[in-house]
Amino acid sequence: MIGQPFIPDWSQLRVFAPELWLIGGIIAVLLAPFFTQKSNRICGAIALLALVAALVSSWTSHSAGGYFRNMLLVDGVSVYWRQLLLLFSIGIVWMWFSSSASSMHEGDGPEFFTLLLAAICGLSLMGATANLLMLVMAVELASLPSYILAGFRKTQRLGAEASLKYVLFGAVCSATMIYGLSILYGIYGTFNLPELAGQMSRVSAPPLLLVVALTGVLAGLGFKISAVPFHFWCPDVFEGAAIEITAFLSVASKGAALVLLLRVLAYFAQAGGYHSVPGIPLNAIAILIGVLGAITATVGNTAAFAQTNIKRLLAYSSIAHAGYMLCGLSLLVSLQAPVSTGGFSIAAQVLLLYLSVYLFMNLGAFAVAAQVSKATGGETLSDFAGLGRRNPVLAICMAGCLFSLVGLPPMAGFAAKLNLLIALIHNGGWQWALVAVIAINTVLSLYYYARVIRAMYLEDSQLPAFSASPLGKALAGGCAIMLVVMLIGFNPLTRLVNRHSWFEFSSAPATSDITALK
C-alpha cells in the first residue's frame, strides 16, 4: 500500500540468499579482529567460506519474477551471472592466499575483505536490477569499494595514483550516467526499467534529449566496461593495483556492466518489437553498440603492442575482449525473431558463454603472473624470460591461457570466439563488417600474446628456477585444464548457457520455478 513501509518477508529474501551470505561474511570479517590478533588469514578464510556458501545457495531453486516492488528481477541471465561472479571471486580469494597473503600488513585483512565482499555484492545486484534507482545504487556499491581496493597498497606510489585516477574517471562517468537517468525519469515519470522501455516505445520525446540521456547512460556503463573512449583509466589502474584486484576488475567489473547493458537493451528491444523507439531507431542503437565494440577491440589490441608490463598488457587485452563482447550485444536489437518471457536470446547466449570461458583464461593468466611477480619482484616481460626452464608447469599454464585469449585450439577460447562469429554471420547484413573486424583483431592479438610465449621459451635468463606456491600452481593448472575440458565439453556448456539465456520482462511477480523455465 502506498504510504506504508515495505517490509519484505522470507519468500522474497530467500531469493537473494547469496547476497545475504555476502553481507553475513562482511559482518564476520569485521568482528574477526576482536577474537585474534593475526586476522588477515582468518578474514580470508571467512570471505572464502561466505563465497562458497553464497555459490551453493545460488544453485537452489528460486521463483522467477520481480522482487522488492520490482526493483530487482530474477531470471536466467541474472542467476547465471551471479554464479559466474561467485565462482570467479572464489578464485580471486584463492589467488590472494597464494600471492599477497604473506606480504599484506597484518591488520589490513578486515578492511580488504570487507571492501571485496561489498564490491561483489554490488556487482551481483547489477545483473538483476530493473529500476533506475537500484541501477545507481548497485553501480555505486560496486564502484566505491573498487576505488579503495585499487589503491589498497598504501605505501606504493603507483597504487595511490591508480586509485586517484579511478576515482576521478569514475566520478565523472557516474555523474554523467545519473544525469542521463534523471532525464529519462523526467520525460517518462517512472523508475521501472521495463515500464520505461514500454513508454519509450509508445511516447514520443525530443530526439536530442533522448540522445543526451542515452549517451549519459552509455558513458556510465562504458566506464565499467572500459569501452573506448572511457578506457583510459584501465591500464594505469591495472598496473598500480595489487594483482588479485587487477584480475578481479578485469572480469567482474566488465562482466557486470555488460550484463546490465544487455538487460537494458533487451527491455528496449522487447518493448519496441525490434522496430524503433519514437525518435531513435533500434537498429541505430545496434549499429552504435557494434561500432563501439569494433573500435574498442581495435584500440585494445593495437595499444597492447608496445606494453612490456604484463599487467598493462593484460589490461589492454581485457579492453579488446570487452570489445568482442560488445559486438555480441549488437545482436540483441537487430535479430528478427522477438524475445519473449522465458524465450531464447542469441545475444544473452553469446555473452554468457563468452564470459564463462573468459573467466578461466584471465584468472589463469593472472594466477601465473602473480607467482612470477612473487618470485622475481617484477611484472615485466623480462621477468618471464626463461620461465619454461625455471618453472615449466607455470609456463605451460600461461601458454594455454594465452592461446585461449587469442582464440586458438585446443583451448575453449577458440569455441567461444567461434560461437560469437557464427552468431554474427547468421545475422548477416552490416554485421559481416564486425566479423571482419574481429578476425583481423584476432590476428593482431597473436603478436603480443606470442611475445610472452617467446620470452618464456626462447629468451635466455640468468634468473634462477623457483618453486611456486602450491595454491598458485593449482589455481593456474586448474584454469588451464578447465579451458581444455570446456572445449571438449562445449556442447554441454552451450546447453547449460541456453537454459539461462532468457529475461524476465513481466513487472508482476511470477511463481514459476527457475529450474523449470527455459
Side-chain angles (χ1 to χ4, degrees):
M1 181 182 295
I2 297 176
Q4 297 295 321
F6 173 68
I7 302 177
D9 55 25
W10 177 241
S11 64
Q12 298 212 29
L13 288 175
R14 74 181 183 88
V15 179
F16 297 94
E19 286 76 15
L20 295 178
W21 276 109
L22 294 178
I23 293 171
I26 291 173
I27 295 171
V29 164
L30 290 174
L31 292 176
F34 291 98
F35 300 96
T36 177
Q37 291 183 343
K38 296 184 176 181
S39 57
N40 284 5
R41 292 183 180 271
I42 297 296
C43 289
I46 292 171
L48 190 60
L49 288 174
L51 288 167
V52 171
L55 180 61
V56 172
S57 68
S58 71
W59 292 334
T60 60
S61 298
H62 297 313
S63 296
Y67 292 88
F68 305 112
R69 292 182 173 171
N70 299 315
M71 294 184 74
L72 295 170
L73 290 181
V74 174
D75 52 25
V77 172
S78 65
V79 169
Y80 192 78
W81 162 244
R82 175 198 285 162
Q83 292 171 352
L84 282 182
L85 174 65
L86 293 171
L87 180 62
F88 176 70
S89 300
I90 290 171
I92 292 299
V93 177
W94 190 340
M95 187 189 299
W96 177 85
F97 272 109
S98 69
S99 59
S100 300
S102 58
S103 59
M104 179 176 284
H105 184 270
E106 190 61 53
D108 286 348
E111 300 172 15
F112 180 83
F113 287 106
T114 295
L115 293 168
L116 182 62
L117 291 176
I120 294 168
C121 188
L123 292 168
S124 177
L125 293 176
M126 281 176 65
T129 183
N131 182 281
L132 299 185
L133 286 179
M134 192 68 226
L135 188 156
V136 173
M137 288 190 289
V139 170
E140 293 307 309
L141 178 58
S143 298
L144 294 177
S146 299
Y147 299 151
I148 305 172
L149 287 171
F152 199 80
R153 299 189 295 181
K154 309 176 186 68
T155 59
Q156 297 193 13
R157 182 187 62 81
L158 282 178
E161 180 183 340
S163 183
L164 180 60
K165 289 181 178 179
Y166 200 9
V167 169
L168 292 177
F169 273 101
V172 172
C173 291
S174 293
T176 305
M177 181 183 70
I178 293 171
Y179 179 65
L181 294 175
S182 67
I183 292 176
L184 292 178
Y185 175 72
I187 296 174
Y188 299 105
T190 180
F191 288 119
N192 185 271
L193 271 171
E195 184 182 343
L196 174 67
Q199 290 199 38
M200 289 181 69
S201 67
R202 298 188 300 270
V203 180
S204 297
L208 181 60
L209 202 57
L210 270 182
V211 169
V212 172
L214 295 178
T215 300
V217 175
L218 187 60
L221 297 181
F223 165 76
K224 300 296 290 183
I225 297 170
S226 302
V228 174
F230 313 106
H231 69 291
F232 293 105
W233 63 274
C234 187
D236 291 338
V237 171
F238 277 32
E239 183 181 9
I243 198 160
E244 63 272 8
I245 298 305
T246 300
F248 178 70
L249 294 176
S250 71
V251 176
S253 178
K254 290 176 172 58
L258 285 163
V259 170
L260 178 54
L261 180 58
L262 170 70
R263 183 175 296 281
V264 172
L265 292 175
Y267 292 150
F268 287 167
Q270 192 269 347
Y274 290 91
H275 297 299
S276 66
V277 171
I280 301 180
L282 281 175
N283 198 50
I285 298 177
I287 293 173
L288 174 63
I289 297 295
V291 170
L292 187 63
I295 295 173
T296 299
T298 304
V299 169
N301 282 318
T302 53
F305 286 179
Q307 304 307 317
T308 57
N309 182 286
I310 192 66
K311 290 202 294 185
R312 290 185 70 90
L313 186 148
L314 291 174
Y316 282 111
S317 166
S318 72
I319 292 172
H321 283 276
Y324 300 150
M325 288 184 272
L326 279 172
C327 291
L329 291 194
S330 69
L331 289 163
L332 188 62
V333 288
S334 57
L335 290 169
Q336 299 302 314
V339 174
S340 58
T341 302
F344 173 76
S345 167
I346 288 290
Q349 187 264 1
V350 167
L351 175 62
L352 294 178
L353 196 148
Y354 203 105
L355 282 173
S356 301
V357 177
Y358 183 62
L359 179 162
F360 288 102
M361 53 194 185
N362 237 39
L363 183 61
F366 276 107
V368 174
Q371 293 305 305
V372 173
S373 176
K374 182 179 179 181
T376 64
E379 299 167 345
T380 64
L381 289 181
S382 61
D383 297 303
F384 282 78
L387 187 63
R389 171 187 58 80
R390 294 157 51 211
N391 196 307
V393 173
L394 288 184
I396 291 173
C397 293
M398 188 65 165
C401 292
L402 293 177
F403 277 130
S404 190
L405 285 166
V406 176
L408 297 176
M411 315 307 286
F414 166 74
K417 188 170 288 186
L418 183 63
N419 181 65
L420 168 61
L421 292 173
I422 290 174
L424 292 169
I425 291 170
H426 179 74
N427 207 55
W430 64 271
Q431 288 179 335
W432 273 101
L434 297 183
V435 174
V437 169
I438 293 173
I440 293 170
N441 273 279
T442 298
V443 176
L444 293 176
S445 68
L446 182 60
Y447 170 76
Y448 63 85
Y449 290 127
R451 289 175 62 205
V452 183
I453 297 174
R454 179 181 181 275
M456 292 192 299
Y457 288 103
L458 299 180
E459 292 184 4
D460 293 328
S461 174
Q462 301 302 316
L463 295 172
F466 66 93
S467 297
S469 161
L471 287 176
K473 190 181 295 186
L475 180 60
C479 289
I481 292 171
M482 276 300 300
L483 290 173
V484 177
V485 170
M486 291 170 79
L487 178 64
I488 297 172
F490 195 70
N491 284 337
L493 176 62
T494 302
R495 289 195 293 270
L496 173 66
V497 172
N498 288 348
R499 287 198 297 269
H500 291 85
S501 298
W502 56 273
F503 300 94
E504 175 61 55
F505 293 109
S506 173
S507 60
T511 57
S512 304
D513 192 275
I514 200 166
T515 58
L517 287 172
K518 299 189 189 285

